[in-house]
Amino acid sequence: MAIAQRPRSGYSSPMSPNRSFFTAQMDDLFATPPRRKRRYVPKSPVCVMDLPKLRNNFFTNNLDWGKSNKIAVALNLTTYVWDAKSKVCRKIQLTTPRPDHDYISCLAWDPEGTQLVIADNLGDITVCDPECSVINHQTHLKERTTVNIVRWTDHGIFSGDCHGTVYKHDPRVRTAVARLGGHDVMVCGLSQGAGTPYLASGSGDGLVCIWDVRSSKVYKKIQAHTLLAKALAWCPWRKNVLASGGGCDDGNIRLWNIYTGNMVGEISTQSQICGLLWSEEYHELVSSHGLTKSEGTETNDLILWEETDFYFEPVVKLQQHIGRPLHLAMSPDKTHIASVGADEHICLWNCFPSSSKDNQTPTNVVSRVSLDGYIR
């Protein structure tokens, strides 16, 4: 008896050889969303603002959107916090001006969106209150090296540096409380699974480590990509599924069952994946793309993917940036995406309109404004 095969999109989607086995055996484990009709997504951003002197560095992580609906972005040694509702901007200068080769390399909000952790290329990690411009805590890594990424979770503050080390920090203690050394090269991606004790870290050689933060030990190691596993995102409705994106020599988005370490889904984009974000309400994945695998040019676009049964179908391609979109962040109400590009622009996209009337993120706030009036 012949079995009809589901038609594939224009994008190649090679699945793991044992995909049918996983599909058959894990129906109870993996929740499968209902198939949706192709929906309309605005292809123009609702807001575009200038970010002069933004550092064009793939390994920095200088954008975050906090629970208090404030966007934080770092430009060299200065951090700007912009309230998406009131459009009031605050400038945070934590240090005196230093040589041009010094810069803020990453930042992140705390889970409540009231405090900000900021790290630089000299191993300095600072916790501050943007409302009062007060420094609450400072940590200095023994290795004076670049902190590529920092994440503030319910389990503490975690950072990854250029030497392949993940550190756990306690804001009440001046030194790191735990050293997690599962990588041999730079750590460029970190992501905490919501409601789980698992933290994923990605490194420059494509290795992804899954950590149990309760014991600070590696739970699973996955050779996810041939190079650069920076983009990491946990599926919000399947707690054991992690999405990862590779560099330009890899170009794949892959889904992993972290319990087994097996790949359960894949899509080849033929381009560098700079960032990944999930929408729980729409069951879609957002990816941002830079250098292409073959030609070495930049695509500079965002793609929304519908994912069903671990197959990917493109929903829409968003093109506004003329430089690769290095950073992605999602609004606290999960309706808007912020993208920051090497073209020194930040764009706000209304990708996931909510049926709720309590949408706190403004739409059509401005268009083509300079940060002189809002973020600078």
Side-chain angles (χ1 to χ4, degrees):
M1 177 179 177
I3 300 176
Q5 296 293 321
R6 179 177 174 180
R8 299 196 176 200
S9 68
Y11 295 84
S12 60
S13 181
M15 307 302 293
S16 62
N18 294 328
R19 181 192 175 279
S20 58
F21 169 79
F22 287 114
T23 302
Q25 298 296 318
M26 298 186 181
D27 285 344
D28 293 335
L29 184 60
F30 294 128
T32 302
R35 178 76 175 170
R36 293 176 180 268
K37 293 182 179 179
R38 189 62 54 87
R39 66 187 184 88
Y40 169 75
V41 180
K43 292 187 177 182
S44 297
V46 297
C47 176
V48 180
M49 294 179 282
D50 296 324
L51 293 177
K53 298 182 180 179
L54 177 80
R55 193 172 188 85
N56 182 8
N57 187 331
F58 179 76
F59 300 104
T60 58
N61 289 272
N62 285 334
L63 171 71
D64 200 13
W65 200 333
K67 187 177 180 180
S68 58
N69 204 20
K70 294 181 176 65
I71 297 174
V73 62
L75 308 177
N76 284 336
L77 281 172
T78 305
T79 302
Y80 296 90
V81 175
W82 184 69
D83 191 315
K85 186 175 183 179
S86 68
K87 306 180 191 64
V88 173
C89 180
R90 292 180 181 272
K91 178 180 178 180
I92 303 173
Q93 189 80 48
L94 296 178
T95 61
T96 57
R98 298 186 300 201
D100 291 339
H101 61 270
D102 294 343
Y103 58 92
I104 294 172
S105 52
C106 55
L107 54 75
W109 287 102
D110 73 333
E112 297 303 317
T114 58
Q115 296 188 87
L116 195 63
V117 57
I118 302 170
D120 64 20
N121 67 318
L122 297 179
D124 294 334
I125 300 175
T126 303
V127 175
C128 69
D129 182 343
E131 290 295 321
C132 306
S133 298
V134 174
I135 295 176
N136 296 332
H137 174 75
Q138 282 187 313
T139 297
H140 308 281
L141 297 182
K142 292 181 179 180
E143 299 86 356
R144 303 296 282 175
T145 185
T146 302
V147 182
N148 290 321
I149 188 165
V150 63
R151 289 288 180 261
W152 197 331
T153 76
D154 292 331
H155 299 277
I157 299 173
F158 294 88
S159 66
D161 68 14
C162 276
H163 291 167
T165 305
V166 176
Y167 290 96
K168 181 180 180 180
H169 308 272
D170 187 329
R172 300 165 297 181
V173 181
R174 291 189 61 84
T175 58
V177 297
R179 184 180 187 274
L180 292 64
H183 296 280
D184 296 326
V185 297
M186 71 169 70
V187 176
C188 49
L190 283 177
S191 182
Q192 172 74 50
T196 77
Y198 298 116
L199 175 80
S201 60
S203 59
D205 58 2
L207 178 69
V208 172
C209 289
I210 308 298
W211 303 88
D212 188 330
V213 297
R214 297 168 297 186
S215 62
S216 298
K217 294 182 179 180
V218 174
Y219 172 77
K220 191 77 66 177
K221 285 191 176 184
I222 302 170
Q223 190 59 51
H225 301 279
T226 56
L227 196 66
L228 295 176
K230 177 193 176 186
L232 302 171
W234 292 87
C235 181
W237 65 92
R238 296 177 300 209
K239 302 298 184 182
N240 60 326
V241 173
L242 175 72
S244 65
C248 60
D249 290 334
D250 183 286
N252 294 301
I253 299 172
R254 290 177 174 139
L255 302 181
W256 304 94
N257 175 4
I258 63 116
Y259 294 158
T260 64
N262 291 308
M263 185 179 70
V264 293
E266 181 182 32
I267 185 76
S268 177
T269 71
Q270 301 296 312
S271 62
Q272 179 185 60
I273 293 97
C274 301
L276 293 171
L277 290 173
W278 287 99
S279 168
E280 182 171 11
E281 180 175 353
Y282 285 82
H283 289 257
E284 292 177 0
L285 181 69
V286 183
S287 58
S288 60
H289 300 269
L291 297 172
T292 59
K293 184 175 181 179
S294 57
E295 300 176 0
T297 57
E298 293 183 352
T299 60
N300 307 328
D301 50 25
L302 278 65
I303 300 177
L304 273 63
W305 305 90
E306 180 185 16
E307 183 271 307
T308 306
D309 294 334
F310 307 113
Y311 279 98
F312 289 90
E313 295 286 347
V315 177
V316 69
K317 181 182 290 187
L318 305 176
Q319 296 177 307
Q320 176 70 32
H321 291 287
I322 57 174
R324 56 182 175 172
L326 295 165
H327 316 303
L328 289 179
M330 182 174 279
S331 63
D333 62 6
K334 313 300 182 185
T335 61
H336 287 65
I337 297 292
S339 60
V340 167
D343 56 358
E344 299 185 346
H345 287 125
I346 180 171
C347 298
L348 304 187
W349 307 86
N350 185 17
C351 295
F352 307 111
S354 175
S355 57
S356 171
K357 296 181 179 180
D358 298 328
N359 186 346
Q360 62 174 331
T361 307
T363 59
N364 299 318
V365 286
V366 291
S367 178
R368 282 289 177 191
V369 300
S370 168
L371 299 192
D372 287 314
Y374 290 91
I375 294 191
R376 184 173 62 146

